Amino acid sequence: MTGTYLGMPAFPEAAREAVGNSTLRANLRHATRTIREKRALAVAELDDWTALREAGKQIKDHTLRHLDTYLLQLEEAVTAAGGTVHWAQDAAEANRIVTDLVRATGETEVVKVKSMATQEIGLNEHLAAEGITAYETDLAELIVQLADDRPSHILVPAIHRNRGEIRDIFRERMGDWGRPAPEGLSDIPAELAEAARLHLRDKFLRAKVGVSGANFMVAETGTLVVVESEGNGRMCLTLPETLISVVGIEKVVPTWQDLEVFLQTLPRSSTAERMNPYTSMWTGTADGDGPRDFHLVLLDNGRTAVLADEVGRQALRCIRCSACLNVCPVYERAGGHAYGSVYPGPIGAILTPQLRGTASEVDASLPYASTLCGACYDVCPVAIDIPEVLVHLREQVADQGGHRVEKAVLGAAAWAFDHPAVLATAQRAASLTRALHPSRLPGPGRAWTDSRDLPQLPDKPFRDWWKRHHEGKEDAQ
């Protein structure tokens, strides 16, 4: 298992398998509908939600336009507060930096706060190969790790698992990673949570190194922010002697006043809460309070290339709330694993192909993993126009030869629409031969008709019908 899930099938093939799993579909349907209904109620409480959404968009766009300035300001502030900043161009460099920092402590274990960035670079797997064990402490991430599974949701990584499955995972695997599950463990949520708490408490108390990501970084003070709901983050961020935070460069915001906007929109969009139960902030190091050593690894890993795309760069506004996943009809049926990336759902369909490129079959297929219904844009707290970026990426895939037939057909259609006489002749010919038309397309077009029939053509084109029934009446008037 790797953080980027290399070698997985393209989205259509993976989704077809997922749709056939009735248990998976039931788990996803129940969870996503519950989350989105609660989110709608939480958002409705704010009369100025639209203004907050626009403010978040403007802050993010401003920061991205001046990202170099704010990153240097952040580095200066973190350094002044006693921290050390490292710059990582790609996943390999980030993994090397973290591994070297852990080795310097002499430790062979680390505790981790849930982090998309470390999953993106495959940090756990890299550390394991170097003899270092990384323990996930978020409840859902713990479930995924114990099951040797992959996350399938940004906010709820184990959303594809039900209570019975989680009970079985705890019974069978907890003992392999530390304190075993209690005898007679049931699937009652409180008992499952208590089993996880007891299992993790031993790790918190002995860990000397913590690894985290961050939801936000404040450039003016060098402050990092983690929001979470379980308290495991607070333990990982304060108890270890050394803290290593791996954060994407797009997570910086200029000021504390800017942070105020996102601390209102993120919890409502993600967990449907007015405020996260735990909001942890730290600025460098302090004598006798928290870790003695703090290291910030600023991760690029393709983000600079995304920034260069005027349409695609809006994906970097993302604050990882997962609201787009919970309203997406495609995600609800296919699940997160079908996307072949740590970033599933609509945001993954536009972010992953930009970070990794579209050379592989799975990455080239992701811009097509959407109905373009626009529900994702409607709920996004920073107004990312995901449908616009999807269409933009589809054009890029077609231009690079990924969809030659589609490009040729669309090119021919564009030419025909520019020549009305040719279009009229083609329409009449299609109507006259409609009895000979197949119900499914041949060749590459067959994929489109695997789940739908071709529409039947009328016996005469619309323009001929209009001419017969209306042109004479208009002349008479």
Side-chain angles (χ1 to χ4, degrees):
M1 181 180 72
T2 68
T4 50
Y5 315 150
L6 296 178
M8 287 193 66
F11 182 84
E13 182 181 344
R16 186 178 299 111
E17 180 180 349
V19 168
N21 186 331
S22 59
T23 300
L24 173 65
R25 291 188 62 178
N27 293 345
L28 289 170
R29 182 171 57 251
H30 172 73
T32 56
R33 290 182 180 179
T34 298
I35 295 171
R36 68 173 175 255
E37 288 171 2
K38 290 182 177 179
R39 176 206 168 273
L41 293 174
V43 167
E45 294 179 349
L46 294 181
D47 294 334
D48 61 345
W49 177 259
T50 301
L52 283 169
R53 184 178 189 244
E54 180 62 22
K57 172 186 175 182
Q58 295 295 335
I59 292 168
K60 280 290 189 176
D61 283 348
H62 167 79
T63 308
L64 292 172
R65 285 195 300 270
H66 305 281
L67 190 58
D68 54 345
T69 299
Y70 289 119
L71 287 175
L72 291 176
Q73 183 183 7
L74 174 73
E75 179 183 32
E76 183 178 351
V78 169
T79 303
T84 304
V85 176
H86 309 262
W87 299 80
Q89 182 175 353
D90 53 26
E93 187 172 9
N95 286 330
R96 177 186 58 77
I97 291 170
V98 176
T99 301
D100 289 346
L101 290 173
V102 176
R103 280 179 173 163
T105 68
E107 298 295 318
T108 58
E109 295 181 342
V110 303
V111 290
K112 288 185 69 226
V113 187
K114 178 177 177 291
S115 164
M116 304 296 292
T118 59
Q119 291 173 13
E120 176 189 327
I121 64 176
L123 178 62
N124 287 13
E125 292 74 26
H126 181 84
L127 291 176
E130 298 295 328
I132 301 168
T133 303
Y135 295 110
E136 296 289 351
T137 63
D138 174 83
L139 177 56
E141 290 287 357
L142 172 65
I143 294 166
V144 169
Q145 184 175 55
L146 293 179
D148 194 26
D149 200 354
R150 297 186 304 273
S152 63
H153 191 278
I154 291 175
L155 176 67
V156 194
I159 195 172
H160 56 292
R161 298 286 191 177
N162 59 37
R163 295 185 309 180
E165 291 175 307
I166 295 170
R167 174 203 60 210
D168 294 341
I169 291 168
F170 281 7
R171 285 177 175 178
E172 297 169 7
R173 298 301 307 277
M174 262 190 173
D176 297 337
W177 287 79
R179 180 170 179 158
E183 290 291 333
L185 179 66
S186 75
D187 64 355
I188 297 173
E191 290 192 22
L192 296 174
E194 177 67 6
R197 187 188 71 82
L198 294 173
H199 176 81
L200 292 171
R201 183 55 59 96
D202 294 339
K203 303 186 188 311
F204 288 137
L205 294 178
R206 73 167 184 261
K208 302 296 183 182
V209 181
V211 175
S212 82
N215 295 96
F216 307 101
M217 302 180 291
V218 183
E220 69 174 348
T221 60
T223 302
L224 273 71
V225 184
V226 164
V227 296
E228 40 109 7
S229 300
E230 300 170 18
N232 64 296
R234 184 70 56 82
M235 303 284 276
C236 289
L237 297 169
T238 58
L239 292 180
E241 296 174 359
T242 299
L243 175 60
I244 306 167
S245 298
V246 183
V247 190
I249 56 176
E250 81 281 12
K251 294 298 186 70
V252 65
V253 297
T255 68
W256 275 87
Q257 187 174 3
D258 298 324
L259 182 63
E260 176 188 347
V261 173
F262 300 111
L263 291 183
Q264 293 181 77
T265 56
L266 177 56
R268 282 181 165 82
S269 292
S270 57
T271 56
E273 295 170 301
R274 297 179 182 90
M275 181 177 180
N276 290 91
Y278 295 89
T279 301
S280 300
M281 304 181 183
W282 69 100
T283 306
T285 60
D287 292 338
D289 182 16
R292 294 198 303 259
D293 296 303
F294 169 58
H295 297 270
L296 171 60
V297 181
L298 292 172
L299 177 68
D300 187 327
N301 203 36
R303 286 160 175 79
T304 300
V306 180
L307 191 63
D309 187 324
E310 292 186 5
V311 176
R313 72 171 60 145
Q314 59 185 297
L316 296 180
R317 292 185 206 144
C318 179
I319 58 175
R320 309 290 191 266
C321 70
S322 76
C324 62
L325 281 70
N326 299 324
V327 299
C328 178
V330 176
Y331 175 85
E332 182 179 309
R333 289 157 180 79
H337 292 162
Y339 293 82
S341 165
V342 67
Y343 302 110
I347 187 61
I350 65 170
L351 184 58
T352 300
Q354 294 190 87
L355 292 178
R356 297 198 315 214
T358 55
S360 72
E361 187 178 3
V362 62
D363 293 323
S365 72
L366 289 178
Y368 297 85
S370 171
T371 65
L372 300 180
C373 69
C376 50
Y377 171 68
D378 291 339
V379 299
C380 178
V382 286
I384 301 171
D385 193 341
I386 292 178
E388 178 187 30
V389 183
L390 286 168
V391 173
H392 174 65
L393 293 175
R394 290 179 185 186
E395 181 181 6
Q396 292 183 3
V397 172
D399 286 343
Q400 73 181 21
H403 292 265
R404 294 185 181 89
V405 175
E406 178 184 1
K407 184 176 181 181
V409 170
L410 291 177
W415 182 85
F417 282 121
D418 282 339
H419 298 78
V422 174
L423 178 62
T425 300
Q427 289 175 332
R428 293 189 183 102
S431 293
L432 291 173
T433 59
R434 65 194 186 102
L436 303 177
H437 295 177
S439 61
R440 302 178 67 184
L441 291 172
R446 187 179 184 87
W448 195 87
T449 52
D450 278 346
S451 57
R452 56 177 71 83
D453 292 330
L454 284 174
Q456 290 188 349
L457 293 178
D459 58 358
K460 60 176 65 66
F462 174 77
R463 65 178 62 209
D464 290 352
W465 178 90
W466 181 267
K467 184 175 182 179
R468 174 177 297 181
H469 288 81
H470 291 272
E471 286 192 359
K473 296 179 182 178
E474 292 175 356
D475 291 341
Q477 293 175 356

